[in-house]
Amino acid sequence: MHRFTPLRIALAVTTAAAVMGTGVAFAGGSSDAARPADTARPADAGRAAAPVAADVSGATELVQGFIVGYKSQAAEAKSNEAAVKDARAKAGKAGEPVSFERRLGTGAALVELPEADKVQDAQKVAAAFLADPDVAYVVPDRRVYATAVDPAEYSYQWDLYETTAGMNVPSAWEQATGKGVTVAVIDTGIAKHSELSAKVLPGYDFISGTWTANDGGGRDSDPSDAGDWLKAGECGKDKNGNPVPARDTNSTWHGTHVAGTIAAAANGSGTVGVAHEANIVPVRVLGRCGGTTSDIIDAITWASGGTVTDVPANKNPAAVINMSLGGKFTCDQAYNAALKGAADRGTTVVVAAGNDNKDAAAYSPAGCANVITVAASDREGNRAAYSNYGKVVDVTAPGGETAVRAADGIWSTLNTGTTTAVKENYASYQGTSMAAPHIAGLAALLKQKNPSLTPAQIEQTVKNNTRALPGTCSGGCGAGLSDADKALTAVTGG
């Protein structure tokens, strides 16, 4: 199972610590492991199986589920009854229990391996599906994490207006503020905050595992962040046998921080979002030990206006989706299908590049098609030391770097609770998780100014209207440092 984490790295809160930096959310690292009863925690996040062929040889992650894409003419592509029968047939061939779990929003089938306790078990199941001419692809259900990274209190939003490495946002507000545009934040959910409450529209909690959800149940219509605090070792062990996490961690309120960067109200208090009059649809996919690709795929589908079985229709389809999360595996067909579906429905998807100082092509969704992949810069305009890089990066935006000063991080909305939510506050985080929502906010501004812009046109406009990074970037930082005013000026009203 591929696990995702938030992509934040460090945080300076007026109390709480953050978790937005690794994995599917890119927070401070890529930790994965195995999980309790709701279907085991991941064991060494995101390292299983190559996509399509589902080659799990040499994998260190215990694969506990596969996403199976059937060819369109196959009965299993449309009939759950046929998919159930096929899972039983494959179980017989592999000699391992296999069960059909549910149909994803893309039409693919999620099958689980309830008794798989070693990599070879998954290999046999994958081989059975791949031998079937009616199967188009088989990929692991991976674990993903948030992508932020951690520092100290900071209340000055240099990222919006400083001439050196800010994004030139205040001038852009003369042309658009995001009014009437809906942005979905696919993340840890959201905590109540006075700067966000008036703009939050009904969302959904897509976490299917009870243990991961940490709110007493699985999927439901309440996307509130229940907290993602952990005891040392609760997510299993890494490939070297070390506990994940290495020490007790507090709740990160990652989704709340990301939402504030996008759309915090311009009310003279605390902070202000890039698109401060946009609306937010919170979509919860990350909980304890991250989240899974199968849940994220359904969240992408639903947030962009697609249909997901047994989930009420989204009455507020998003023009823009932000995903500050990721996992260390190359993009597979299951992920690509969901992202293409979102693009076809007219939704621009913005994702974090990741926080491992490596080529972003090896990470998902950073390396996928139909996304705007965002690297992070520091206050001097250098590529942030943690930020991933490479040819798949489209653009760079402020992500902060707090190694020297907490004031050099990204200031946004948060909560003081170390476990469950207590009261609202603000905090300074760093990470590509913080960079991505700057571009999601810019996409919302562009969409307000010209509602007819397609996702491809928004991406090209962002990339065509950057400026050179004033600092250094090795490895590739896309088109350059984003410039909001320049991008808005290039667009005529629709």
Side-chain angles (χ1 to χ4, degrees):
M1 175 182 294
H2 293 303
R3 199 79 176 164
F4 284 81
T5 49
L7 295 177
R8 170 205 100 227
I9 289 184
L11 108 124
V13 274
T14 48
T15 310
V19 168
M20 175 196 163
T22 343
V24 168
F26 292 91
S30 300
S31 37
D32 299 3
R35 112 194 146 203
D38 72 321
T39 60
R41 279 180 240 124
D44 190 35
R47 282 185 168 70
V52 185
D55 177 11
V56 293
S57 60
T60 55
E61 176 188 0
L62 182 60
V63 177
Q64 295 174 317
F66 283 112
I67 298 169
V68 181
Y70 290 96
K71 295 178 180 178
S72 58
Q73 74 275 12
E76 294 87 351
K78 298 179 177 63
S79 167
N80 286 352
E81 183 179 356
V84 169
K85 291 180 179 178
D86 191 50
R88 290 173 183 162
K90 299 302 188 288
K93 290 182 178 180
E96 295 290 338
V98 181
S99 62
F100 170 78
E101 180 66 16
R102 68 176 183 272
R103 184 79 57 179
L104 301 189
T106 56
L110 176 63
V111 298
E112 294 200 344
L113 286 60
E115 297 181 18
D117 57 8
K118 52 184 180 291
V119 172
Q120 290 80 0
D121 297 340
Q123 288 177 324
K124 290 187 286 186
V125 174
F129 277 104
L130 289 168
D132 187 340
D134 285 334
V135 170
Y137 63 84
V138 181
V139 297
D141 185 15
R142 309 175 197 260
R143 197 162 272 277
V144 178
Y145 304 83
T147 49
V149 192
D150 210 336
E153 184 173 337
Y154 176 64
S155 62
Y156 217 36
Q157 290 184 276
W158 62 268
D159 49 310
L160 301 188
Y161 69 83
E162 280 192 354
T163 55
T164 301
M167 230 176 80
N168 202 10
V169 175
S171 297
W173 288 335
E174 297 176 10
Q175 304 182 63
T177 56
K179 189 173 184 177
V181 180
T182 298
V183 182
V185 177
I186 297 180
D187 212 292
T188 62
I190 197 164
K192 290 182 179 179
H193 202 290
S194 58
E195 295 223 48
L196 297 172
S197 297
K199 48 194 63 230
V200 174
L201 300 174
Y204 204 81
D205 180 356
F206 275 92
I207 300 177
S208 54
T210 304
W211 187 88
T212 298
N214 202 26
D215 60 2
R219 291 185 171 186
D220 56 50
S221 59
D222 182 3
S224 299
D225 192 337
D228 53 6
W229 75 95
L230 291 165
K231 296 292 185 182
E234 275 198 289
C235 297
K237 296 180 179 180
D238 64 18
K239 62 181 180 180
N240 297 316
N242 299 314
V244 178
R247 61 190 65 83
D248 293 357
T249 62
N250 293 336
S251 291
T252 63
W253 315 113
H254 188 271
T256 303
H257 196 281
V258 168
T261 297
I262 296 169
N267 57 8
S269 173
T271 187
V272 60
V274 174
H276 55 81
E277 289 194 304
N279 295 316
I280 294 290
V281 171
V283 187
R284 188 172 183 239
V285 298
L286 301 174
R288 302 174 79 188
C289 301
T292 63
T293 47
S294 56
D295 287 343
I296 293 168
I297 284 168
D298 277 351
I300 294 168
T301 302
W302 182 86
S304 60
T307 300
V308 178
T309 303
D310 297 328
V311 177
N314 179 9
K315 295 181 180 180
N316 302 286
V320 182
I321 287 174
N322 186 89
M323 296 203 299
S324 289
L325 52 77
K328 190 176 181 183
F329 56 91
T330 54
C331 194
D332 57 40
Q333 286 176 276
Y335 231 147
N336 271 324
L339 292 165
K340 183 180 184 301
D344 289 347
R345 287 184 285 273
T347 301
T348 299
V349 181
V350 180
V351 305
N355 300 328
D356 289 336
N357 187 27
K358 294 181 179 178
D359 191 337
Y363 294 75
S364 291
C368 295
N370 295 300
V371 299
I372 300 176
T373 299
V374 187
S377 57
D378 64 18
R379 196 168 181 175
E380 287 71 46
N382 305 294
R383 174 172 68 82
Y386 56 80
S387 179
N388 285 355
Y389 51 81
K391 292 182 179 179
V392 301
V393 170
D394 293 300
V395 70
T396 299
E401 193 167 314
T402 58
V404 177
R405 297 189 307 163
D408 294 343
I410 304 301
W411 183 253
S412 190
T413 47
L414 215 73
N415 194 277
T416 62
T418 56
T419 55
T420 56
V422 178
K423 63 180 181 179
E424 66 178 55
N425 70 340
Y426 303 86
S428 180
Y429 277 4
Q430 69 173 22
T432 55
S433 275
M434 283 61 257
H438 284 82
I439 301 303
L442 174 54
L445 299 181
L446 291 167
K447 195 68 174 177
Q448 180 198 350
K449 186 170 183 184
N450 187 343
S452 67
L453 289 175
T454 66
Q457 290 171 329
I458 288 175
E459 177 180 346
Q460 204 57 51
T461 300
V462 170
K463 291 162 68 172
N464 286 351
N465 295 281
T466 60
R467 64 184 192 274
L469 270 74
T472 61
C473 172
S474 59
C477 288
L481 183 64
S482 179
D483 187 312
D485 184 58
K486 192 175 179 181
L488 267 291
T489 301
V491 170
T492 56

